[in-house]
Amino acid sequence: MEFFLFDYFSNATILSVLTLIFIAINFLFAIGLIFLERRSAQSIWAWLFVLFFLPIFGFIIYILFGRTIYNQNIFKINEEDKVGLEHLVGDQLNELENENHKFSNKVANKHRKLIHMLLYNNQSFLTLNNSIETFTDGNAKFDRLLSDIKNAKNHIHFQYYILRLDGIGEKLHEALLEKQREGVSVRILYDDMGSRALTLRNFKKLREAGGMVEAFFPSKFPLINPRINNRNHRKVVVIDGVIGYVGGFNVGDEYIGLSKKFGHWRDTHLRVEGNAVKSLQVRFMLDWNSHAKRYNMVREDRYFPEISHEGSTPMQIASSGPDEKWQQVKYGYLKMIYSARKCIYIQTPYFIPDQSFLEALRIAMLSGIEVHLMIPNKPDHPFVYWGTYSNAGALIQMGAHVHIYEKGFLHQKVMMIDDEVLSIGTTNIDVRSFLLNFEVNAFIYDEKEAQQYREIFEADIKDCSLLTIEKYAARSKWIKMKESLANLISPIL
């Protein structure tokens, strides 16, 4: 009996000690969250809720999803490789600050402050001689990409968040393998979580032929990835240093409309010729070197050839990520909103912005600026969808025009103001893209391109229903409950 009581109290004591240890760990995490990490107040409260109400599981969830990396030097570039880039950025900053240069393009001249902001914070140098081909259909985009791959002469740099080796993915893989066998240097970089069905073994033939493949933030153990919450969401292709692709399409059959769940896939992607390709090349080079175990890239003339292309579209390539102090692409969006004088057009699959973004749109609408928002009619992530629907409902109360895309799934990330400035890329209007993901967007200063986008938007409206105040007010209690839950956890979605 005494032994039983001793064993009982010993176990109880051990359990009490373990409980106190977990409480202490939670408390230390809470202190670190409040005083040490760069977070919004909303995010802090959301994580405190998780840590204190799920004391054991909250600890594990925080390890996997909550850690920040903004103070880590992930993207390294050798000093000798910076030569030329820093000189170009410095010259452009001086010209903008001293107003020594007047752009021949009146839109670029008008939006000098936006150009300056992206240049100063992000070293997104402005290029003027670009031509753009816009794709809104996956079949057309991949047909053009396959053609460019087949015509490649020196190198192909291929980066996607989601890369599936299904029908279209295998076709691209075979084209890349063929070019590698011809002596064209092929590099493939994919995100380990976005492309979680892939392993390096899937590229055995390509690697045996001399091709190079890397995964971004690969899992250390099967099914466990300590960087699961920080995804490289970028989609960048550079061919021979003279052709670049950037936009919303990933690689997979669903992106050419073959998914039974999503049906028609509506996205936007750009094919770029001109000096902006140099910016895409730098972006790929930095991403590659951050994870390449061997074969690091150094600046070579073949990667940055002289480009004699005679385009006329000014643009900047801006990138952002959790490793940076500033939310670069989000700041670009905000500056566009505050610069708008007539209209703002937004297409996004997810609309869960932070308070600063919502306030900017409210100020715009109160100032008489027309706001159009287009979102999908179906979710690929349920909580995100109901958060999107809730925020859209709040905007229509103030007079925004909210269009629900009914034809299929709407995935593009596009913003345009005043038929002048256009941003197209990988950045969604949500906290994840603003703070957690690695993203890249093209900021375009051209009336012709902006007008083309307006025409595309107006064509999409024909496949939309309008979300009215009456429709939103008539939603069920069940939908209201899902919206409330989504809003509660939106800072960490």
Side-chain angles (χ1 to χ4, degrees):
M1 182 67 177
E2 291 180 359
F3 177 79
F4 175 79
L5 289 174
F6 176 78
D7 186 58
Y8 172 82
F9 284 113
S10 296
N11 289 336
T13 302
I14 292 172
L15 183 62
S16 299
V17 170
L18 289 175
T19 301
L20 288 173
I21 289 172
F22 276 115
I23 291 173
I25 290 173
N26 274 344
F27 179 77
L28 291 174
F29 268 122
I31 295 298
L33 204 62
I34 295 172
F35 295 107
L36 301 179
E37 294 197 351
R38 177 179 59 99
R39 295 182 184 274
S40 67
Q42 284 181 312
S43 180
I44 288 172
W45 281 112
W47 277 115
L48 288 177
F49 178 86
V50 170
L51 288 171
F52 282 115
F53 285 90
L54 298 170
I56 297 176
F57 293 107
F59 172 80
I60 298 171
I61 291 170
Y62 183 84
I63 290 294
L64 290 176
F65 295 97
R67 294 182 301 159
T68 60
I69 58 174
Y70 74 93
N71 59 347
Q72 297 182 22
N73 185 19
I74 296 173
F75 301 106
K76 304 176 181 68
I77 186 168
N78 296 329
E79 289 301 318
E80 58 267 26
D81 294 329
K82 293 181 181 179
V83 175
L85 175 61
E86 289 183 341
H87 178 70
L88 177 60
V89 169
D91 286 349
Q92 288 192 354
L93 279 173
N94 287 333
E95 289 177 355
L96 287 167
E97 290 171 355
N98 299 324
E99 298 190 0
N100 293 333
H101 180 80
K102 296 294 182 183
F103 299 107
S104 58
N105 180 293
K106 65 178 183 180
V107 174
N109 207 53
K110 181 178 177 181
H111 294 276
R112 298 166 68 92
K113 296 299 183 183
L114 172 58
I115 294 170
H116 182 281
M117 185 195 74
L118 293 174
L119 186 64
Y120 182 82
N121 280 337
N122 202 230
Q123 294 196 333
S124 303
F125 51 89
L126 180 74
T127 56
L128 304 174
N129 67 330
N130 305 293
S131 294
I132 295 171
E133 189 174 351
T134 303
F135 299 97
T136 60
D137 174 76
N139 289 286
K141 180 256 180 174
F142 288 118
D143 285 346
R144 191 75 160 104
L145 177 57
L146 279 165
S147 176
D148 286 331
I149 288 172
K150 290 175 182 177
N151 291 323
K153 299 294 189 293
N154 185 270
H155 63 270
I156 301 168
H157 296 155
F158 190 92
Q159 174 181 357
Y160 280 90
Y161 167 58
I162 295 176
L163 174 56
R164 305 192 202 283
L165 296 183
D166 49 17
I168 186 61
E170 188 56 38
K171 189 180 292 186
L172 285 162
H173 179 221
E174 288 297 325
L176 292 169
L177 176 58
E178 181 180 345
K179 296 309 293 187
Q180 181 63 50
R181 286 171 173 167
E182 291 176 8
V184 174
S185 174
V186 173
R187 281 182 166 90
I188 296 176
L189 179 65
Y190 64 89
D191 183 82
D192 190 68
M193 288 306 302
S195 307
R196 51 189 171 272
L198 288 183
T199 69
L200 294 181
R201 291 190 297 273
N202 293 108
F203 301 98
K204 181 181 179 182
K205 291 181 180 179
L206 179 67
R207 296 170 73 200
E208 287 176 345
M212 292 160 277
V213 184
E214 293 290 348
F216 192 91
F217 278 160
S219 300
K220 302 296 183 183
F221 306 99
L223 303 178
I224 298 177
N225 191 320
R227 289 303 179 197
I228 191 174
N229 216 28
N230 300 122
R231 304 164 185 172
N232 194 321
H233 198 234
R234 296 167 183 147
K235 299 95 177 168
V236 172
V237 177
V238 179
I239 298 173
D240 292 341
V242 296
I243 296 171
Y245 284 82
V246 64
F249 282 106
N250 289 295
V251 175
D253 282 350
E254 66 264 42
Y255 301 99
I256 54 175
L258 297 182
S259 167
K260 292 182 180 179
K261 177 181 178 180
F262 296 111
H264 175 71
W265 191 277
R266 174 66 183 85
D267 221 323
T268 299
H269 217 92
L270 302 179
R271 179 186 185 272
V272 181
E273 291 186 81
N275 281 333
V277 178
K278 296 179 186 293
S279 296
L280 292 172
Q281 188 78 288
V282 170
R283 183 66 269 164
F284 180 88
M285 183 176 177
L286 289 168
D287 284 8
W288 176 266
N289 286 351
S290 71
H291 281 72
K293 299 178 179 65
R294 298 179 295 169
Y295 311 117
N296 274 16
M297 294 178 66
V298 296
R299 191 178 184 89
E300 298 180 31
D301 290 343
R302 68 191 182 108
Y303 297 146
F304 300 94
E306 289 297 323
I307 295 177
S308 58
H309 186 76
E310 297 182 358
S312 59
T313 301
M315 63 189 297
Q316 291 172 284
I317 303 298
S319 56
S320 62
D323 60 308
E324 297 179 357
K325 185 176 181 181
W326 311 111
Q327 300 170 49
Q328 310 288 8
V329 177
K330 175 192 145 182
Y331 288 0
Y333 283 161
L334 288 175
K335 184 62 177 175
M336 286 176 66
I337 292 171
Y338 283 122
S339 299
R341 294 296 177 265
K342 296 182 299 182
C343 61
I344 301 168
Y345 284 72
I346 301 171
Q347 288 178 299
T348 178
Y350 319 124
F351 187 70
I352 312 181
D354 59 14
Q355 198 62 31
S356 65
F357 195 98
L358 288 172
E359 290 292 344
L361 284 179
R362 291 188 188 112
I363 291 170
M365 286 184 284
L366 290 171
S367 303
I369 295 167
E370 189 174 306
V371 172
H372 287 265
L373 170 67
M374 190 177 293
I375 57 176
N377 74 333
K378 59 180 69 175
D380 62 341
H381 303 293
F383 283 120
V384 176
Y385 179 77
W386 292 115
T388 293
Y389 197 71
S390 176
N391 286 316
L395 286 187
I396 62 174
Q397 309 289 337
M398 299 189 67
H401 305 271
V402 176
H403 311 276
I404 309 295
Y405 190 74
E406 304 286 355
K407 188 176 179 180
F409 188 69
L410 181 112
H411 187 254
Q412 70 265 40
K413 309 92 169 50
V414 187
M415 180 184 291
M416 187 268 287
I417 62 165
D418 296 347
D419 295 333
E420 293 180 345
V421 182
L422 180 63
S423 181
I424 298 174
T426 69
T427 311
N428 297 306
I429 312 295
D430 63 9
V431 175
R432 170 165 293 283
S433 274
F434 291 164
L435 277 174
L436 300 175
N437 285 350
F438 299 92
E439 307 282 3
V440 61
N441 273 48
F443 286 79
I444 302 162
Y445 308 89
D446 189 89
E447 286 180 313
K448 179 182 175 182
E449 294 296 333
Q451 180 59 39
Q452 179 188 10
Y453 168 69
R454 177 193 271 270
E455 292 170 1
I456 292 171
F457 191 101
E458 290 173 348
D460 286 337
I461 287 178
K462 297 175 183 177
D463 296 313
C464 292
S465 61
L466 187 67
L467 181 62
T468 63
I469 293 176
E470 293 76 20
K471 284 183 181 179
Y472 185 69
R475 69 198 189 284
S476 68
K477 291 182 179 179
W478 175 236
I479 291 177
K480 292 178 181 179
M481 287 178 60
K482 288 191 284 188
E483 286 183 11
S484 297
L485 179 59
N487 286 330
L488 179 65
I489 63 174
S490 64
I492 58 174
L493 281 177

